[in-house]
């Protein structure tokens, strides 16, 4: 697909839409937006201009200009993507949503919140909690990520095993379509069978079908009783095999997180925290919620029994230190290497133990440094793979060799390439390779129909 360069004429029109202050062309500013949080410099691309609209109307005018001038645009929130989803693959315009940062309404009676795309996820969580409610979307980057990015990638996180991913927390979205029209898809209804479910089509489309500018989010009652449990294992097999047993036990855990010994060690060192068996332990972190103490005690007792049967070395209550270590896992590895990749594999929960054991064993055949953690309760496995003491050529070669084994294996289990990070630019060629051709053709048909100029986040998810 051939695009035009950003011209001075286009810049002048953009300034008329958002004001000169919010059109950025300084090279030092543009350099910030060539990358996201992935450790993948080979994918970085410099935008030609960064624009900050104040609302859906200004966003719509930017989209219309992009169509008229045939210039690509890339929606971007906080840039916490690790799949190069916010990288401007074809240059052009980066549309930042950070000025759209208002919480417009929080209804305690209706249990919903109306927010603009640039609101920080942690602020949504905090306001809901102050009202005795909870926003259940909880990506590990909640302190920095913006809700628009969560919606665009269908972010998962720690509570997905009980409450589902971001798409399960949404009533409706306001979106600027690729033709510049503004639409609201969905409504504050418990059920609806009136036409296509367009809000769910937009959520998870990674900005390829439109720019989300506002959303109405579902809130749930805040459970008055909960406990966080840390189960420590000295064997990988025991920690992995405990997961499906916990999920099937009827205790309905809010989260079941797994950390391998390498992540435990690196995150403890990074956070300067001394946790049990930090040098040789595999961690399962389990959260249980209840609405009365008797229910909580019963569920906790069942959990303790399962952990003991799976040969846990220690089972203790997890405090804030444990969650600090879990949230800083990925950041902790950057002290070892500035180049790496984060795999985001997902398999059925019943297959997660086999998958973790098989791929950890496979990873030991290579010279790169692997770390493994998982949102184990919903089958989402992250391999953080670091380039250490390797040439660039060996790094790329061995990474491809690992993926040539890992991806077909995951698909043989009924799994997929991404559970929550999205396809972005980084997994584009694998999406083409491993997706069913009929499914892929249908997605391309939708994209072509709504975005015939392919200006909306090109180079992501699917190719023209």
């Amino acid at each position: 697909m051939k695009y035009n360069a950003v011209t001075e004429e286009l810049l002048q029109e953009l300034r008329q839409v958002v004001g000169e202050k919010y059109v950025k062309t300084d090279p030092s500013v543009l350099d910030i937006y060539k990358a996201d949080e992935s450790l993948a410099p080979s994918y970085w691309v410099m935008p030609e201009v960064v624009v900050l609209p104040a609302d859906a109307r200004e966003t719509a005018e930017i989209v219309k200009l992009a169509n008229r001038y045939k210039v690509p645009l890339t929606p971007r929130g906080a840039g916490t993507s690790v799949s190069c989803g916010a990288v401007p693959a074809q240059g052009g315009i980066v549309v930042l949503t950070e000025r759209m940062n208002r919480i417009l309404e929080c209804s305690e009676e209706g249990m919903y919140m109306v927010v603009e795309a640039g609101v920080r996820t942690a602020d949504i969580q905090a306001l809901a909690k102050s009202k005795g409610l909870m926003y259940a979307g909880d990506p590990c980057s909640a302190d920095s990520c913006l809700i628009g990015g969560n919606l665009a990638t269908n972010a998962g996180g720690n509570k997905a095993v009980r409450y589902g991913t971001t798409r399960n927390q949404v009533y409706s979205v306001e979106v600027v379509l690729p033709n510049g029209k503004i639409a609201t898809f969905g409504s504050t209804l418990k059920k609806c069978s009136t036409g296509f479910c367009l809000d769910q089509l937009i959520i998870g489309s990674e900005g390829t079908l439109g720019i989300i500018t506002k959303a109405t989010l579902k809130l749930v009652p805040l459970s008055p009783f909960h406990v966080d449990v840390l189960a420590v294992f000295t064997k990988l097999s025991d920690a992995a095999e405990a997961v499906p047993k916990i999920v099937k036990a009827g205790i309905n855990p809010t989260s079941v997180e797994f950390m391998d010994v390498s992540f435990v060690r690196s995150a403890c060192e990074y956070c300067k925290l001394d946790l049990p068996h930090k040098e040789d332990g595999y961690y399962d972190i389990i959260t249980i919620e209840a609405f009365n103490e008797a229910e909580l005690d019963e569920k906790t007792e069942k959990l303790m029994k399962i952990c003991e049967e799976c040969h846990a070395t220690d089972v203790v209550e997890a405090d804030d230190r444990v969650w600090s270590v879990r949230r800083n896992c990925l950041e902790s590895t950057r002290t070892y290497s500035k180049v790496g990749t984060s795999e985001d594999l997902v398999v059925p929960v019943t297959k997660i133990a086999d998958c973790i054991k098989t791929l950890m064993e496979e990873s030991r055949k290579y010279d790169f440094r692997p770390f493994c953690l998982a949102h184990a309760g919903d089958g989402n496995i992250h391999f953080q793979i670091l380039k250490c003491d390797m040439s660039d050529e060996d790094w790329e070669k061995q990474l491809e060799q690992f993926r040539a084994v890992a991806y077909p294996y995951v698909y043989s289990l009924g799994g997929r390439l991404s559970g929550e990070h999205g396809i972005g630019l980084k997994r584009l060629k694998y999406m083409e390779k491993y997706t069913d051709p009929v499914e892929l053709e249908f997605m391309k048909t939708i994209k072509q129909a709504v975005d015939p100029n392919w200006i909306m986040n090109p180079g992501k998810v699917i190719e023209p």
Side-chain angles (χ1 to χ4, degrees), residues 24 26 47 62 78 90 103 122 134 156 158 203 214 374 382 399 434 455 459:
K24 311 290 185 181
D26 186 277
I62 295 167
Q90 300 292 336
I103 296 177
M134 179 174 70
N158 298 328
I203 297 167
K214 188 166 64 178
H382 298 310
L399 198 56
Y434 292 105
I455 62 156

Side-chain angles (χ1 to χ4, degrees), residues 423-449:
I423 300 302
L425 175 61
K426 194 166 71 172
R427 299 185 181 91
L428 182 62
K429 67 178 181 180
Y430 305 110
M431 182 75 172
E432 293 281 327
K433 182 174 182 178
Y434 292 105
T435 304
D436 176 83
V438 177
E439 182 182 353
L440 195 63
E441 181 186 10
F442 191 57
M443 285 190 278
K444 290 184 178 184
T445 300
I446 294 170
K447 171 68 172 175
Q448 181 65 39

Side-chain angles (χ1 to χ4, degrees), residues 190-370:
K190 288 292 185 181
K191 63 180 182 179
C192 180
S193 294
T194 309
F196 297 160
C197 194
L198 297 177
D199 52 319
Q200 294 299 316
L201 178 62
I202 295 297
I203 297 167
S205 64
E206 301 184 42
T208 62
L209 301 180
I211 302 175
I212 296 170
T213 52
K214 188 166 64 178
T216 301
L217 305 174
K218 298 176 184 177
L219 306 178
V220 297
L222 186 64
S223 299
F225 300 94
H226 85 277
V227 64
D228 295 313
V229 173
L230 171 62
V232 184
F233 302 84
T234 54
K235 291 183 179 179
L236 169 62
S237 58
D238 290 338
E241 289 167 7
V243 172
K245 293 180 180 179
I246 293 168
V247 172
K248 292 188 293 183
I251 60 178
N252 194 16
T254 301
S255 62
V256 184
E257 299 290 297
F258 165 82
M259 295 169 59
D260 81 339
V261 63
S262 297
F263 260 131
V264 171
R265 190 181 300 126
S266 69
C268 283
E269 184 177 328
Y270 178 80
C271 296
K272 296 181 171 56
L273 292 172
D274 187 20
L275 294 180
H277 296 273
K278 67 178 183 180
E279 296 295 332
D280 61 358
Y282 296 87
Y283 281 11
D284 285 346
I285 310 167
I286 308 101
T287 299
I288 299 173
E289 295 177 336
F291 283 90
N292 60 70
E293 285 190 84
E295 180 190 4
L296 185 67
D297 290 343
E298 181 183 355
K299 289 181 174 181
T300 304
E301 188 176 337
K302 283 185 180 180
L303 173 61
M304 300 286 281
K305 185 177 179 181
I306 293 168
C307 293
E308 289 169 6
E309 290 173 350
C310 292
H311 314 294
T313 301
D314 276 319
V315 183
V316 298
E317 187 169 352
D319 55 24
D320 289 342
R321 297 176 306 153
V322 174
W323 283 112
S324 178
V325 164
R326 171 62 187 88
R327 290 185 182 278
N328 283 282
C329 276
L330 295 182
E331 190 67 27
S332 73
T333 63
R334 294 172 190 256
T335 60
Y336 302 112
S337 176
K338 297 296 183 184
V339 178
T341 186
S342 180
E343 298 294 334
D344 180 40
L345 306 170
V346 61
V347 296
V349 176
T350 54
K351 304 293 185 182
I352 192 166
D354 290 339
C355 189
I356 289 175
K357 289 185 290 184
T358 299
L359 293 186
M360 284 298 288
E361 184 176 340
E362 174 66 24
S363 70
R364 295 187 183 103
K365 299 177 182 178
Y366 306 93
D367 297 325
F368 52 63
R369 187 170 181 178

Side-chain angles (χ1 to χ4, degrees), residues 56-70:
R57 184 193 62 79
E58 290 187 358
T59 304
E61 293 304 313
I62 295 167
V63 172
K64 290 174 185 177
L65 288 172
N67 273 298
R68 193 197 313 162
Y69 285 89
K70 205 174 181 183

